[in-house]
């Protein structure tokens, strides 16, 4: 479903409703009528979602450039139970530097009113209160910028544009030593190095975990090498000791800079090992000289088999950096999001965010599938705990039925077991490969994101309490009441048999589909359970497809991944700028007689079939 010159459809925007109320507005509550005369951009997001975090960064420039005409409103729409807690949303807004109003919508009321189907989704509302565009996924900032400029000119001429200060009110900063720390590392000196993520710094602490030895990084978001005081990071996360002949050093996953950095522990000097500062997109190189290859939100690092393995959360893969050759390459994962084991080249991950290496296993916390997984020395991927994208909770016992909730960290323990920082359960869990059992080591650790062994103790990064907490590893396990959850989105009722899937993509004004090197679109479809799809599974270049659903399977999830590339349509420009638009959907469906026989998913534009 493509159209290189779409008409501008207009649909009256539904009201903004959220039981959690408004954040970043100085406690003022807003309606759409209060924002009339401004261009409103709704960003439907949830804080677990790496693609949502990418969009927050994509929008920063637009937000600054059009501050007097555009009001960005984050509509927080939770996937996990923890994300429906108001305090957790307040924390996430500060953690990720969100500098616009946020509506906390724990019951997905506004999500349903706008018929949103995926995180992230962007909706543009014109100054008269009409929806004029919808975009799902990443890579749309350039198109929205162009639309904003058109709307500014159009409504300035009509007299319906109102310029001025927006409703954003910055919260008061809190004077804590750390602010939403991410990962920690025990240094050879016995001190602890912590990624102070929200303050864009690394902090070296004494053995007590509280006394500051030094800070590395200016504290301002940026990407600059140099001395400890002048170098800059952007939301750094993972840390690992580097086996480096030139002296003691640490490799840093500089997440929002899409880079690996090197910290010289002796001098405090920061240099760049890998990455260009640009985010990796489909079609970009997947191997080569480390400083020339784009990365995508590296979240953690670990030394395994002589290489630095990278949890590449942004593209659901594991990559590896070779210090000897100065190269990077994909080590496992296809970029498809899900839980599939097997040879590295065929495995699927979902936002891997924590790594821990032993002699014969690389353990990983696969956050969006709430799973604990591992890679063997041959590069094959295995799952120890976890079933997929939609089941999570806090349940101990046999690994086949145990549940985590969005874990971000994993720590190898001396007895061969592993501790899991079970982030959204506020717990430290343990998995023992010898028995196949999951137990709970500690509760009431607020959003733990990592843990590090120090002697007989384990030091937990309590990210949402802005501190390190030292625990004695218990002999026994804590007993907790078991809970299990499924993703809370309502299922779409569809008819059994044939279902037409239409991915809507309209190239932004002034652009056309990029067909210079073949088809510029790609559609990949699969299902959980696999038996739901009798016909229509697999990859093709057409954005429309007829699926056949098995009437014997009452419900399941359709997994849809779409990509489209468009370029500036200027015959005079020999090298037009090109842009990739991409999104993954997981659509819960329920087969019902009389249900819909068409499933439209908007990648960019408006669905004409639903527009009056």
């Amino acid at each position: 479903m493509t159209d290189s010159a779409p008409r501008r459809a207009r649909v009256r925007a539904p009201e903004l409703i959220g039981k959690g109320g408004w954040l970043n507005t100085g406690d003022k509550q807003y309606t759409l009528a209060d924002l009339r005369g401004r261009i409103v951009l709704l960003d439907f997001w949830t804080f677990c979602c790496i693609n949502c975090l990418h969009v927050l960064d994509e929008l920063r420039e637009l937000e600054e450039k059009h501050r007097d005409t555009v009001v960005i409103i984050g509509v927080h729409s939770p996937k996990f139970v923890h994300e429906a807690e108001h305090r957790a949303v307040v924390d996430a807004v500060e953690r990720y530097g969100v500098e616009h109003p946020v509506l906390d919508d724990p019951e997905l009321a506004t999500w349903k009113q706008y018929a949103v189907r995926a995180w992230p989704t962007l909706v543009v509302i014109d100054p008269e209160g009409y929806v004029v565009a919808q975009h799902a996924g990443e890579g749309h900032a350039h198109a929205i910028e162009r639309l904003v400029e058109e709307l500014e000119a159009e409504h300035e001429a009509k007299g319906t544009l109102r310029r001025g200060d927006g409703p954003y009110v910055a919260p008061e900063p809190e004077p804590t030593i750390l602010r939403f720390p991410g990962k920690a590392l025990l240094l050879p000196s016995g001190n602890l190095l912590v990624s102070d993520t929200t303050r864009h710094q690394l902090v070296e602490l004494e053995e007590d975990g509280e006394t500051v030895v030094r800070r590395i990084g200016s504290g301002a978001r940026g990407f600059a090498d140099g001395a400890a005081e002048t170098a800059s990071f952007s939301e750094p996360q993972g840390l690992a000791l580097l086996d480096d002949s030139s002296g003691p050093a640490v490799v840093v996953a500089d997440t929002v800079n899409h880079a690996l950095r090197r910290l010289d522990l002796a001098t405090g000097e920061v240099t760049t090992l890998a990455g260009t500062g640009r985010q990796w997109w489909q079609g970009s190189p997947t191997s080569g000289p480390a400083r020339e290859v784009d990365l995508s939100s590296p979240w953690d690092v670990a030394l395994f088999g002589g290489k630095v393995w990278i949890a590449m959360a942004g593209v659901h893969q594991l990559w590896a950096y070779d210090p000897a050759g100065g190269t990077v390459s994909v080590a496992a994962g296809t970029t498809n999001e899900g839980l599939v084991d097997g040879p590295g080249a065929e495995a699927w991950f979902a936002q891997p965010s924590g790594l821990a290496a032993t002699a014969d296993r690389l353990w990983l916390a696969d956050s969006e599938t709430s799973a604990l997984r591992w890679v063997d020395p041959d590069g094959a991927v295995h799952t120890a705990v976890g079933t997929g994208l939609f089941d999570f909770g806090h349940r101990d016992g046999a690994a086949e039925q145990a549940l985590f909730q969005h874990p971000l960290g994993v720590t190898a323990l001396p007895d061969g077991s592993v501790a899991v920082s079970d982030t959204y359960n506020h717990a430290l869990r343990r998995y023992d490969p010898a028995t196949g059992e999951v137990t709970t080591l500690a509760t009431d650790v607020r959003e733990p994101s990592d843990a590090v062994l120090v002697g007989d103790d384990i030091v937990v990064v309590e990210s949402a309490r802005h501190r390190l907490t030292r625990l004695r590893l218990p002999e026994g396990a804590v007993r907790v009441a078991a809970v299990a959850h499924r993703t809370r989105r309502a299922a779409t009722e569809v008819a059994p048999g044939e279902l037409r899937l239409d991915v809507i993509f309209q190239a932004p004004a002034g652009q056309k589909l990029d067909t210079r090197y073949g088809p510029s679109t790609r559609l990949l479809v699969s299902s959980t359970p696999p038996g739901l799809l009798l016909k229509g599974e697999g990859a093709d270049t057409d954005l429309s497809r007829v699926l056949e659903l098995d009437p014997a399977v009452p419900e399941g999830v359709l997994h849809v991944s779409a990509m489209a590339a468009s370029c500036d349509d200027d015959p005079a420009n020999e090298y037009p700028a090109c842009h990739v638009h991409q999104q993954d959907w997981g659509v819960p469906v329920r087969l019902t007689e009389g249900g819909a026989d068409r499933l439209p998913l908007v990648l960019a534009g408006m669905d004409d079939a639903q527009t009056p």
Side-chain angles (χ1 to χ4, degrees):
M1 297 285 291
T2 62
D3 181 354
S4 59
R7 63 187 175 87
R8 172 129 3 113
R10 299 209 314 168
V11 178
R12 176 63 72 180
E15 190 51 81
L16 304 178
I17 308 162
K19 192 174 180 181
W22 292 79
L23 307 175
N24 280 357
T25 61
D27 294 327
K28 184 173 178 182
Q29 307 298 298
Y30 281 87
T31 65
L32 276 177
D34 298 326
L35 304 170
R36 196 62 49 80
R38 312 299 290 272
I39 300 162
V40 177
L41 175 59
L42 303 182
D43 175 14
F44 289 87
W45 71 299
T46 189
F47 63 78
C48 71
C49 158
I50 191 68
N51 312 91
C52 300
L53 303 186
H54 289 167
V55 167
L56 285 177
D57 292 308
E58 285 179 9
L59 294 178
R60 291 186 201 279
E61 187 177 341
L62 175 78
E63 195 165 29
E64 185 57 40
K65 186 175 177 182
H66 297 273
R67 198 170 283 279
D68 67 333
T69 59
V70 174
V71 175
I72 297 177
I73 294 172
V75 183
H76 188 269
S77 314
K79 172 185 175 182
F80 289 95
V81 168
H82 170 60
E83 292 171 321
E85 294 178 19
H86 183 69
R87 178 70 245 174
V89 180
V90 172
D91 285 346
V93 167
E94 181 188 351
R95 181 195 299 267
Y96 296 115
V98 179
E99 295 185 356
H100 51 248
V102 172
L103 177 64
D104 180 11
D105 181 18
E107 296 176 346
L108 302 179
T110 296
W111 165 287
K112 292 169 188 170
Q113 286 290 308
Y114 281 82
V116 174
R117 295 185 184 274
W119 298 275
T121 290
L122 299 169
V123 175
V124 181
I125 302 172
D126 73 12
E128 294 178 291
Y130 288 91
V131 173
V132 293
Q134 181 172 328
H135 302 266
E138 304 177 47
H140 302 294
H142 64 283
I144 291 172
E145 163 90 16
R146 178 124 185 195
L147 177 57
V148 162
E149 290 171 351
E150 290 177 4
L151 291 171
E152 285 175 342
E154 176 186 333
H155 289 273
E156 191 96 77
K158 289 174 67 174
T160 48
L161 184 70
R162 178 168 58 89
R163 295 181 181 269
D165 293 334
Y168 171 67
V169 177
E172 287 293 319
E174 298 282 344
T176 52
I177 293 171
L178 302 171
R179 203 71 192 160
F180 297 105
K183 303 288 186 181
L185 177 67
L186 180 64
L187 298 176
S189 64
N191 288 347
L192 291 157
L193 187 68
V194 184
S195 52
D196 197 16
T197 305
T198 297
R199 292 197 178 128
H200 314 296
Q201 289 182 319
L202 309 179
V203 181
E204 184 176 345
L205 301 172
E206 291 185 5
E207 294 178 39
D208 61 8
E210 298 179 5
T211 306
V212 176
V213 176
R214 58 176 171 168
R215 292 181 180 271
I216 297 104
S218 65
R221 186 190 296 272
F223 188 12
D225 289 342
E229 304 78 26
T230 56
S232 55
F233 302 92
S234 187
E235 299 181 28
Q237 287 281 351
L239 307 165
L241 286 170
L242 198 57
D243 193 3
D244 198 323
S245 59
S246 57
V250 171
V251 59
V252 182
D254 193 5
T255 304
V256 178
N257 278 329
H258 310 295
L260 297 188
R261 316 290 292 282
R262 178 187 184 275
L263 167 65
D264 187 308
L265 287 172
T267 65
E269 188 83 9
V270 176
T271 52
T272 299
L273 294 175
T276 62
R278 296 183 301 271
Q279 184 183 337
W280 186 93
W281 288 97
Q282 291 286 353
S284 301
T286 55
S287 64
R291 292 290 303 273
E292 299 173 16
V293 176
D294 299 338
L295 309 182
S296 184
S297 298
W299 207 275
D300 204 4
V301 282
L303 200 64
F304 180 64
K307 294 184 178 180
V308 176
W309 285 62
I310 309 163
M312 203 71 80
V315 284
H316 317 300
Q317 289 180 313
L318 301 180
W319 287 42
Y321 165 70
D322 181 0
T327 58
V328 289
S329 59
V330 174
T334 63
T335 76
N336 294 322
E337 184 179 15
L339 192 152
V340 176
D341 289 340
E346 300 171 13
W348 291 24
F349 301 99
Q351 217 169 294
S353 301
L355 298 175
T358 64
D360 60 351
R361 289 189 182 188
L362 178 70
W363 292 98
L364 68 110
D366 204 24
S367 62
E368 281 290 294
T369 51
S370 298
L372 173 66
R373 307 177 72 186
W374 54 281
V375 182
D376 66 29
D378 295 326
V381 178
H382 311 260
T383 297
V385 182
T387 59
L389 285 164
F390 299 94
D391 292 289
F392 55 91
H394 190 152
R395 189 161 66 197
D396 287 338
E400 306 82 64
Q401 55 88 53
L403 294 170
F404 300 122
Q405 186 180 179
H406 202 270
L408 290 178
V410 58
T411 307
L413 300 179
D415 63 358
S417 67
V418 289
V420 176
S421 294
D422 192 5
T423 310
Y424 288 3
N425 280 328
H426 311 299
L428 189 68
R429 313 282 293 285
R430 175 177 178 263
Y431 168 70
D432 185 351
T435 64
E437 292 285 313
V438 174
T439 52
T440 297
L441 297 175
T443 57
D444 192 31
V445 281
R446 184 79 186 166
E447 289 193 22
S449 53
D450 196 20
V452 59
L453 278 175
V454 180
D456 293 330
D457 296 339
I458 190 163
V459 174
V460 180
V461 181
E462 269 198 282
S463 188
R465 285 199 177 111
H466 319 292
R467 70 187 187 193
L468 304 185
T469 299
R470 187 179 293 258
L471 303 172
R472 179 56 54 97
L473 279 173
E475 296 277 337
V478 177
R479 290 198 173 274
V480 295
V483 291
H485 303 288
R486 296 214 88 209
T487 299
R488 290 152 40 110
R489 281 176 294 163
T492 299
E493 294 195 347
V494 297
E498 288 196 350
L499 175 69
R500 182 178 178 84
L501 171 65
D502 288 332
V503 173
I504 314 298
F505 178 74
Q506 297 161 343
Q511 295 181 28
K512 64 179 181 179
L513 288 172
D514 176 19
T515 55
R516 292 171 298 165
Y517 307 108
S520 62
T521 55
R522 178 176 180 267
L523 179 64
L524 176 68
V525 180
S526 62
S527 68
T528 302
L532 174 64
L533 273 178
L534 294 175
K535 188 178 76 173
E537 186 178 13
D540 202 349
T541 57
D542 193 341
L543 292 183
S544 290
R545 187 180 303 180
V546 175
L547 312 179
E548 186 177 345
L549 307 181
D550 187 346
V553 181
E555 61 181 17
V557 178
L558 292 175
H559 304 282
V560 181
S561 178
M563 184 275 288
S566 61
C567 294
D568 292 346
D569 188 9
D570 181 0
N573 186 354
E574 188 178 354
Y575 303 104
C578 295
H579 312 274
V580 176
H581 317 254
Q582 62 185 47
Q583 173 61 19
D584 296 329
W585 292 267
V587 183
V589 294
R590 183 179 299 114
L591 274 59
T592 308
E593 291 296 338
D597 61 3
R598 176 176 180 262
L599 177 62
L601 300 175
V602 177
L603 179 60
M606 298 283 282
D607 179 15
D608 289 344
Q610 294 183 338
T611 302

